[in-house]
Amino acid sequence: HVGRQPVYDRRGDVVGYELLFRSGPDAVTATSRNAFATSQVIVAAFTEFGLDQLVGDRPCFVNLTREFLVGDLPVPFDPGRTVLEVLETVTPDDEVCAGVRELADRGYTIALDDFRPTASRLLPMATYVKLDMVDNDTETLTATVGALREYPGLTLVAERVETEERLALAFELGFELFQGHVLGRAHVISAQ
């Protein structure tokens, strides 16, 4: 099963979706962090559903495991509408950096999920950077946004926006895109 969480812009329009892989239709709270986003699930989801059915003509964000990023497994879709997310659990070592650079050179759009300063060496390849609005305090968020603005062309995404207060803060800090329960819950789609 694939869950689909909308990504909104500052006007409140849906501009894309993050695809979340789950074990079953009742697993609405599970996220890709629960390790269901294994290679087989990713490949099966794209083969079974097709992008058009899942996201229409909007970009979709997909979490990739290390195996895809370093080239051990082929990315199962073409560059263009998919945004490849580098999870915070993937260590940005030399092999990952080289793999991400190669994917970016091939035309794939890169997002850094739940950004931490340890992933700074991936910033030159990234288009989107996501910051967690739950796990980071206001001071950390403010400092991180300031540092990220040194890189021109990055689009900042506030993720896990779960209260009106955090949404207001994300707006104030100048985030371009927003994801989270206060905006729209993830909807689960099952292939028939």
Side-chain angles (χ1 to χ4, degrees):
H1 295 275
V2 177
R4 196 183 70 162
Q5 187 180 50
V7 178
Y8 297 88
D9 66 10
R10 291 178 74 88
R11 292 196 312 249
D13 294 330
V14 175
V15 293
Y17 294 97
E18 178 173 355
L19 300 186
L20 306 166
F21 300 94
R22 300 192 176 120
S23 58
D26 51 349
V28 174
T29 55
T31 70
S32 53
R33 291 193 182 92
N34 294 44
F36 291 122
T38 56
S39 54
Q40 291 84 352
V41 178
I42 291 175
V43 175
F46 280 89
T47 321
E48 195 177 1
F49 288 98
L51 267 186
D52 290 332
Q53 188 190 337
L54 284 171
V55 299
D57 59 356
R58 296 182 173 99
C60 72
F61 291 75
V62 183
N63 298 310
L64 289 191
T65 55
R66 181 185 176 89
E67 293 78 15
F68 289 106
L69 297 171
V70 300
D72 290 347
L73 289 170
V75 174
F77 30 78
D78 297 325
R81 300 209 324 250
T82 23
V83 178
L84 309 184
E85 283 201 46
V86 181
L87 291 172
E88 74 282 3
T89 50
V90 174
T91 306
D93 55 24
D94 291 348
E95 201 183 354
V96 166
C97 288
V100 170
R101 182 173 296 288
E102 192 190 327
L103 288 166
D105 288 346
R106 282 167 52 198
Y108 286 99
T109 303
I110 306 296
L112 306 182
D113 187 38
D114 193 3
F115 177 76
R116 300 205 166 83
T118 48
S120 293
R121 46 189 306 209
L122 293 172
L123 285 170
M125 288 86 95
T127 300
Y128 297 96
V129 175
K130 295 184 161 195
L131 290 178
D132 189 311
M133 298 301 290
V134 173
D135 289 347
N136 290 303
D137 60 33
T138 302
E139 202 176 356
T140 304
L141 286 166
T142 305
T144 306
V145 168
L148 290 171
R149 290 303 182 198
E150 301 295 312
Y151 293 82
L154 282 183
T155 298
L156 301 189
V157 185
E159 63 177 348
R160 291 179 70 203
V161 183
E162 297 187 354
T163 64
E164 295 292 342
E165 292 76 25
R166 292 320 251 177
L167 181 59
L169 174 65
F171 254 83
E172 192 184 318
L173 290 174
F175 281 87
E176 285 86 12
L177 301 176
F178 309 87
Q179 262 183 288
H181 287 314
V182 75
L183 299 149
R185 298 192 175 275
H187 303 287
V188 176
I189 306 164
S190 298
Q192 299 307 319

